Amino acid sequence: MLFGSRITTHFDYVLILLILPLICTSLYLLNETSQTLLIRQASYAFLGVFIFLFIFFIPFRYLYKGVAVFYGICIFLLIAVEIIGTKMLGAQRWINIGGFSLQPSEPVKIAVVLFLAHYVQKRPPPPEGYGWIEFLRISIFILIPFLLILIEPDLGSAIIVLVMGYGMLFIIGVHKKIWITCMIVGLLFSPIAFKFVLKPYQVERIMKLISGNTSSQVQQSLIAVGSGGITGRSYEDATQANLKFLPVATSDFIFAHFAERFGFIGACVLIALYLSIVLHLLSFCFLDSQDYFLKVIASCLGMLFFVYTAVNIAMTIELAPVVGIPLPLFSYGGSSFITFVILIAMFENAATFRFSFSNFEETTPFGKIIRFSKLRTKH
């Protein structure tokens, strides 16, 4: 009884209400574009409900060893990609097992979030923030998957892991002298990275962006966004997507498709919706000063929503190079959608069960009896 009442009382319904319009609008646009893609995306959404319910009831706070093993497996899979991975479109990012294709850069995001949540919870920062030793230790857990993803190459996913990890550290707390040092080192290292780390095609995309000589994909995207005007166009008049001028209008450039249909006002509403999700998630970082497990998951998920949304929209309107990052829960695709569903379920789990207990016992959904002596809700 206590278990069920805790769910109904402390479950974060606001986040669910904020993401449902994204999923419904995405299905609406796919219905206009392709019935086949609509059915597939609807099946991902249907599957996502069951995955969400399963993940939500996993007691993540008590699975430190299991999370460490999961992180190690994901790192092993990233290494395996370099050895036995399948190369597609110039990148070696997938592992084929029978008829199943796995892209390890997706589950590794989940592994990094969970591992950092447990690590920070066990070793919380002092009042002045983490010092160099802990900062470097945590950096290792962030940089290992970052570098392995970068050499696939998958610059977009690598940047996401990097920004997610260090964005979380910025919110959790690191001594300001460390950030100043990192900024100086980053500025000094950036020319070297540009010359020796980035692949030739990645450099070419950046140079085209700077020179204004963008690809035909981006040009068609700009036409679609501009043709939407203030209030958008009807389905019959939205020629960029309907006549296939706009490439990948259902995934990478779905924001341009949306802007053509619903105009400047619709685009502002969509951006405001994503901004609301980010701010709502980050607000949980201040819910309980001692619950670093919730802080890490909320901040990482908020950073993911922010980076995915900002980069996707920026590349659509010629403010960033095209890196193939989807719009969260909006672009067509199963791997990114399911990854976000799992992360949202993890957040809901951490937010709903943010308690300390003593002097009574309760049975978890997995049959495990946990004994406590006093109930205290952390606020």
Side-chain angles (χ1 to χ4, degrees), residues 7 87 90 155 207 325 357:
I7 294 176
K87 196 168 186 179
L155 180 61
M207 295 307 297
I325 292 179
F357 305 87

Side-chain angles (χ1 to χ4, degrees), residues 49-61:
V49 173
F50 292 96
I51 293 176
F52 177 92
L53 294 174
F54 176 77
I55 297 296
F56 175 74
F57 287 109
I58 296 177
F60 290 107
R61 292 178 184 265

Side-chain angles (χ1 to χ4, degrees), residues 147-160:
L147 293 173
L148 290 174
I149 295 173
L150 185 64
I151 63 178
E152 290 182 354
D154 187 352
L155 180 61
S157 295
I159 290 175
I160 286 172

Side-chain angles (χ1 to χ4, degrees), residues 60 64 67-68 70-71 74 106-121 138 141-142 145 160-161 163-165 168 292-305 339-340 342-347 350:
F60 290 107
Y64 177 72
V67 168
F70 178 51
Y71 177 87
C74 288
E106 290 299 328
V108 79
K109 297 168 189 172
I110 301 170
V112 169
V113 172
L114 279 175
F115 189 87
L116 293 179
H118 277 286
Y119 187 94
V120 174
Q121 181 67 27
I138 296 174
F141 302 125
I142 298 171
I160 286 172
V161 171
V163 175
M164 177 187 71
M168 177 276 297
Y292 286 98
F293 189 86
L294 175 59
K295 276 187 178 183
V296 172
I297 293 181
S299 59
C300 284
L301 184 55
M303 286 293 169
L304 280 177
F305 266 103
T339 298
F340 269 96
I342 293 173
L343 289 169
I344 291 169
M346 286 163 43
F347 163 78

